[in-house]
Amino acid sequence: MGFPQLNLLAFTSGRVVAIENVPDPVFAGRMMGDGLAIDPAHGAGQGVLSAPCAGRIVQLHSSRHACFLEADNGARVLLHIGVDTVLLKGEGFVTRVVQGDVVRAGQTLIEFDIDLLKRQNKPAMVILVVENGDDFHITSRTSSSNVSTGDPLLTLVATNTDTALPVSAPVDTGDVETANGWAVVRHGGGLHARPCALLANALKPFAAAVEVRVRGASANARSATAMMGLSVAEGEEVELRATGHQAGDAIEAAITALETVSVAASVAPTHTTSIQSSARTDLPPTQFAGVIASPGLAMGLTARFEHAIRAVKEQGDGEIVEQRALAAALQALGGELATAVADAEQRQLVEQAEIFAAHRVLVEDPELLAASNTLIAAGKSAAFAWQAAIETQCQILMATNSPLLAGRASDLRDIERQVLRKLAGDDGAAPVFARDAVVLADDLLPSDFTALEQAGVAAIVTAQGGPTSHVAILARARGIPTLVATGPRLAGVPAGVQVIVDANNGLLDTAPNPERLATALTEIGQRQKVQAQMLACAHEPAVTIDGVRIEIAANIATATDAAKAVTLGAESVGLLRTELLFLDRQTAPTQDEQRAAYQAVIDALEGRSAIIRTLDVGADKSLPYIPMPQEDNPALGQRGIRLSLAREALLTEQLRAILTVQPRSAVKIMLPMVTDLAELVATRVVLDRLAAEMGISERVELGVMIETPAAAVLADQLAQEADFFSVGSNDLTQYALCMDRTNPALAARVDALHPSVLRLLALAAQGAAGSGRWLGVCGAMASDPMAVPLLIGLGATELSVSPAVIPEIKSVVRKLNLAECQSVAQAVLQLTSAEAIRAYVRQVWPWLDAAKA
């Protein structure tokens, strides 16, 4: 065990600068830890950085401007010369030690050219930060405004002498593991709230400290706020360093989290239209221009949304009382957010689930808690301390000049408000709005959105915000017309005013004339009438004009989804995703758990059938109870049926559970990621063996998901064994085009109506027909009205779609003629681009544009 107290000496001569006054938001915000700086303000010539204590150089930056020194008691300090000096690439710096050297207090570590730094407009101050501030706190600081090298400077005290051990023990002891790695950030928009939350969550199981370094700055990987402060862009490479008994595992988890894009990775639509009010000088005072966050047209009476927060007192009632109050508030809010995440996942609201999960990580953020506790220890109230900690991080995010990260400051404001209400003992009743109200607000927070959605508001307009905010993402997902950034004048619009929100053209009209009101009312009424007509006919079969019936099924994940699909007219379930049963848990679901989940779906379908897809996970959706090595290309690795056959016990448990569902005739099984006949035959052998062992004589149908080009090309062979095909257009498109469908830069080009994808689909249909098998489509393509006539023309007899669009897709089918669909489908196979194909389809069926809208 090391010494619980450590005295640090001045490491150079000059003026003492408080850490919050360092001209860099990362240092000033204590995102790298607490400390101070010394500015050789009147110095010139050669500067000298000396060791503030005895210890070992555990890292020396390649640009020679910084190093990490670990003291004998485990305290680890960063010594950093200047700000942004990593950009000098070593010019002006001379090192006098090497990594691994054991040094004495006062020993010269680095010499630096003060004049060069000044000529390069780089502050010459030298910064010291205590990196492992969770284990060591600064208890005293020098009162002198100027110091000389070797003067007393700081005193560190270990917070827990049992754990105050070196975080990077000498290699020959083997007590503590260290690991290093590199990762390229793949998340659209870089490391904003949700990716940082994913990283923090990924590291929870591992006993290791992980640091992320980029551009000369570093941050605690477990702190979402610290990570956002680094302002790491998409495609940027970062360095990772882990220390602890599970350092290697932590590094692997961190790399995976940084390089794997989440399901709801898209931060904003590429087609977002931006119309700033300052750019529109042609508008009358009663009209407001804004940024389109969610398109659409709406009208209604305005309702003001205000955030009411009680006044916060600055002084606390004692450190223990305030710390306990803050801990209780954070714990209560964390529990509520966990429930919100589970509810959103159950309802398949992926965007909403990820946003609430990101907020939960912010509630657990160690940097925010440490900053709050420091202020509480100084006599502040829990509310004041939390508010101040949030404000510091918000300022850091705003200072990045990144619109995306500035938008994430609203998430911090949201957490701030919710915690303050907990501390005040007033969670506040949810605001009440009339149905079809147009809600006006200065800005809205994600936690506000639930009340708006449940009230059925017609539209949302905010003075601030942006199209990448989480509220904008939620509004788009729920189809609520939304304008943001309309400007401060919006505050002058009172409640109860009749307005029109044209979120297709970025305009709010607060005094529409009678003609405009009538036009808008007619347009909205027509849309509502069409939607009502489609819903009224949703339970009728989808039959083409020439009498061909197309089965319209639903893609679901839970029994709740199944019940909703039935109410919307689903004739069956064409894809039951089973992954949710296996994700977010430490052990595999038992056979009984699986059987109960599948049976609940069948019961909810009220006599309809369901196609159950076997587990489709891999390195991109890893399971903690199935060790899988890191893969450079997880989409091309051990996933789908490949993984199930490699882990036959997992496959066996799932097939047994499916075989126990009653009635057995209501169940079909489908295999994901099939590439050849051998995989299908191997699975059929397992299925038949299990059926025999269970005394089942009926032959359960076994189908293939056509989502690899190989399966499409070999469809004639697969059809000899498969009972049916279902096209997974999402993966088939990305594999055919060799474009990652989660890459925002390629999003506009990953179009399932590309001629290569349609030709593969045609091959699959021909292969199915040759053996008398039926072919369906269960990918997102089936939910696109523009694609429906082509799918039918190529031979699809079943379309499995998102439950919400079942009435619409049935309506489209009823307006089509099979012969015409077949003729057009063959014609478009000769076209050269997805754009040309869409234009051709619009020319033949111009009404499809309206259906798609």
Side-chain angles (χ1 to χ4, degrees):
M1 181 174 68
F3 302 104
Q5 180 171 308
L6 176 67
N7 296 316
L8 298 180
L9 308 179
F11 39 88
T12 194
S13 299
R15 178 174 58 88
V16 177
V17 178
I19 192 70
E20 59 266 26
N21 293 328
V22 172
D24 180 272
V26 175
F27 285 113
R30 293 184 172 85
M31 297 185 70
M32 299 177 69
D34 198 5
L36 52 69
I38 299 176
D39 185 7
H42 304 293
Q46 195 76 354
V48 176
L49 168 62
S50 302
C53 63
R56 187 167 65 91
I57 304 298
V58 293
Q59 185 174 22
L60 190 63
H61 199 281
S62 60
S63 294
R64 302 191 291 276
H65 70 292
C67 65
F68 279 94
L69 173 65
E70 185 179 275
D72 294 336
N73 72 339
R76 197 163 183 260
V77 296
L78 165 66
L79 297 160
H80 193 285
I81 302 170
V83 175
D84 287 336
T85 42
V86 67
L87 302 177
L88 299 179
K89 299 181 179 179
E91 183 183 2
F93 299 92
V94 178
T95 56
R96 298 304 182 190
V97 292
V98 297
Q99 190 165 308
D101 277 359
V102 176
V103 299
R104 66 184 183 279
Q107 181 176 334
T108 298
L109 305 180
I110 302 173
E111 295 174 353
F112 56 99
D113 188 338
I114 297 176
D115 294 333
L116 173 66
L117 296 182
K118 290 181 177 179
R119 288 196 303 273
Q120 295 290 338
N121 293 317
K122 305 293 185 186
M125 63 179 58
V126 185
I127 306 159
L128 179 149
V129 167
V130 182
E131 186 197 29
N132 50 344
D134 290 341
D135 296 328
F136 294 89
H137 285 179
I138 299 174
T139 58
S140 66
R141 303 170 188 260
T142 181
S143 58
S144 302
S145 57
N146 289 279
V147 292
S148 298
T149 302
D151 287 349
L153 191 66
L154 299 171
T155 300
L156 301 185
V157 173
T159 57
N160 185 341
T161 56
D162 292 331
T163 59
L165 297 174
V167 295
S168 181
V171 174
D172 58 351
T173 68
D175 289 338
V176 180
E177 178 185 354
T178 62
N180 297 281
W182 294 86
V184 176
V185 175
R186 301 296 184 189
H187 297 273
L191 293 184
H192 48 98
R194 283 178 288 165
C196 291
L198 290 172
L199 176 61
N201 277 322
L203 294 175
K204 280 186 177 181
F206 305 106
V210 180
E211 178 186 61
V212 176
R213 300 178 178 180
V214 63
R215 290 176 271 102
S218 64
N220 178 359
R222 297 178 186 272
S223 169
T225 54
M227 288 298 303
M228 285 191 287
L230 292 180
S231 190
V232 180
E234 178 186 0
E236 194 166 4
E237 189 174 48
V238 298
E239 182 185 3
L240 301 163
R241 178 180 174 85
T243 307
H245 295 294
Q246 293 180 295
D249 293 337
I251 284 288
E252 290 184 9
I255 291 173
T256 299
L258 291 169
E259 296 194 340
T260 302
V261 182
S262 60
V263 174
S266 179
V267 296
T270 57
H271 61 270
T272 297
T273 303
S274 177
I275 307 176
Q276 296 290 351
S277 55
S278 59
R280 296 292 302 271
T281 58
D282 58 325
L283 297 178
T286 56
Q287 293 185 4
F288 296 74
V291 176
I292 299 170
S294 177
L297 179 69
M299 60 186 296
L301 297 178
T302 56
R304 301 294 316 185
F305 188 104
E306 306 291 347
H307 291 112
I309 299 292
R310 292 184 183 179
V312 170
K313 67 173 185 176
E314 181 174 349
Q315 298 304 313
D317 296 325
E319 181 176 355
I320 294 178
V321 171
E322 298 296 337
Q323 284 186 344
R324 285 179 177 173
L326 180 59
L330 294 175
Q331 183 177 12
L333 181 55
E336 291 177 4
L337 289 170
T339 301
V341 170
D343 178 65
E345 288 177 342
Q346 184 76 6
R347 297 162 58 198
Q348 287 293 286
L349 302 177
V350 179
E351 297 92 345
Q352 206 159 324
E354 288 199 353
I355 290 169
F356 288 140
H359 283 198
R360 186 182 180 191
V361 170
L362 291 177
V363 169
E364 299 170 349
D365 193 294
E367 302 288 341
L368 288 175
L369 183 60
S372 299
N373 283 336
T374 298
L375 289 171
I376 289 173
K380 306 301 182 185
S381 72
F384 181 89
W386 181 253
Q387 199 171 47
I390 292 288
E391 181 59 32
T392 297
Q393 299 303 333
C394 286
Q395 292 301 321
I396 291 170
L397 294 181
M398 298 297 290
T400 64
N401 293 320
S402 163
L404 180 61
L405 291 178
R408 295 295 81 85
S410 68
D411 295 290
L412 287 170
R413 302 286 189 203
D414 199 347
I415 295 302
E416 173 192 0
R417 181 174 62 85
Q418 293 184 73
V419 171
L420 291 181
R421 287 196 168 184
K422 295 288 184 189
L423 289 169
D426 175 24
D427 287 340
V432 177
F433 298 102
R435 187 167 187 82
D436 296 327
V438 173
V439 174
L440 308 181
D442 181 56
D443 201 359
L444 287 172
L445 305 173
S447 63
D448 302 326
F449 188 80
T450 300
L452 303 184
E453 180 188 4
Q454 292 176 347
V457 301
I460 298 170
V461 183
T462 65
Q464 301 185 51
T468 65
S469 72
H470 280 160
V471 167
I473 293 171
L474 293 172
R476 284 195 296 273
R478 309 314 293 166
I480 301 175
T482 300
L483 289 178
V484 297
T486 56
R489 285 199 305 125
L490 187 69
V493 180
V497 175
Q498 179 73 57
V499 299
I500 294 176
V501 179
D502 184 353
N504 294 317
N505 296 297
L507 290 173
L508 166 67
D509 192 343
T510 62
N513 58 41
E515 292 78 14
R516 178 58 180 137
L517 279 172
T519 301
L521 187 62
T522 299
E523 185 176 343
I524 294 170
Q526 287 174 341
R527 292 185 182 182
Q528 292 175 342
K529 182 178 179 181
V530 170
Q531 291 171 349
Q533 289 173 342
M534 290 191 299
L535 188 59
C537 300
H539 292 275
E540 298 176 11
V543 181
T544 64
I545 295 171
D546 48 347
V548 178
R549 179 167 179 171
I550 304 297
E551 183 176 345
I552 306 301
N555 298 332
I556 67 166
T558 66
T560 302
D561 297 340
K564 178 70 175 298
V566 168
T567 65
L568 291 171
E571 299 170 57
S572 63
V573 164
L575 172 62
L576 171 58
R577 305 180 185 93
T578 59
E579 289 72 57
L580 281 182
L581 285 170
F582 293 80
L583 297 173
D584 297 324
R585 54 188 298 157
Q586 297 303 309
T587 59
T590 65
Q591 180 179 322
D592 286 342
E593 285 180 289
Q594 293 189 59
R595 183 206 62 77
Y598 306 147
Q599 187 66 58
V601 168
I602 297 300
D603 293 344
L605 289 176
E606 300 175 354
R608 298 164 180 82
S609 64
I611 297 174
I612 302 177
R613 183 178 68 185
T614 58
L615 182 63
D616 186 15
V617 297
D620 59 332
K621 295 184 220 170
S622 59
L623 304 176
Y625 46 88
I626 304 179
M628 287 182 282
Q630 180 185 338
E631 297 180 2
D632 292 334
N633 296 295
L636 304 178
Q638 190 87 320
R639 58 170 290 200
I641 193 59
R642 303 169 198 163
L643 177 65
S644 294
L645 288 172
R647 310 274 179 170
E648 191 171 316
L650 200 67
L651 176 63
T652 298
E653 281 285 291
Q654 186 167 31
L655 293 179
R656 282 185 182 275
I658 295 172
L659 289 173
T660 58
V661 174
Q662 298 295 327
R664 201 166 293 112
S665 59
V667 174
K668 300 178 179 68
I669 299 172
M670 181 162 64
L671 307 180
M673 297 303 298
V674 171
T675 56
D676 57 39
L677 185 60
E679 293 167 329
L680 178 58
V681 170
T683 307
R684 171 57 79 181
V685 169
V686 175
L687 182 61
D688 288 347
R689 173 175 57 82
L690 293 175
E693 291 174 359
M694 298 170 67
I696 299 171
S697 58
E698 305 100 310
R699 187 179 189 274
V700 177
E701 289 191 34
L702 183 64
V704 167
M705 200 166 180
I706 304 292
E707 52 188 337
T708 67
V713 172
L714 299 178
D716 58 335
Q717 296 180 7
L718 294 170
Q720 297 171 19
E721 182 67 32
D723 294 302
F724 62 90
F725 289 159
S726 187
V727 177
S729 60
N730 302 354
D731 273 324
L732 184 62
T733 302
Q734 78 164 345
Y735 293 139
L737 301 180
C738 293
M739 293 183 185
D740 184 353
R741 59 190 172 96
T742 64
N743 187 335
L746 300 174
R749 299 181 60 190
V750 184
D751 192 330
L753 290 193
H754 192 280
S756 64
V757 180
L758 294 180
R759 289 191 178 195
L760 287 171
L761 201 152
L763 277 177
Q766 291 168 13
S771 295
R773 310 303 188 194
W774 63 267
L775 176 136
V777 181
C778 62
M781 190 180 190
S783 298
D784 181 357
M786 296 286 289
V788 168
L790 301 182
L791 298 178
I792 294 174
L794 290 173
T797 58
E798 180 240 41
L799 301 177
S800 191
V801 304
S802 300
V805 300
I806 290 172
E808 177 185 0
I809 297 302
K810 282 191 171 185
S811 176
V812 169
V813 171
R814 296 183 189 117
K815 298 177 183 178
L816 298 172
N817 178 290
L818 176 61
E820 186 178 28
C821 290
Q822 291 172 333
S823 174
V824 173
Q826 291 305 311
V828 300
L829 292 179
Q830 309 310 313
L831 298 179
T832 60
S833 69
E835 293 78 11
I837 290 173
R838 288 189 180 276
Y840 193 100
V841 171
R842 288 190 187 97
Q843 183 178 350
V844 178
W845 297 287
W847 51 267
L848 278 173
D849 265 331
K852 192 173 188 295

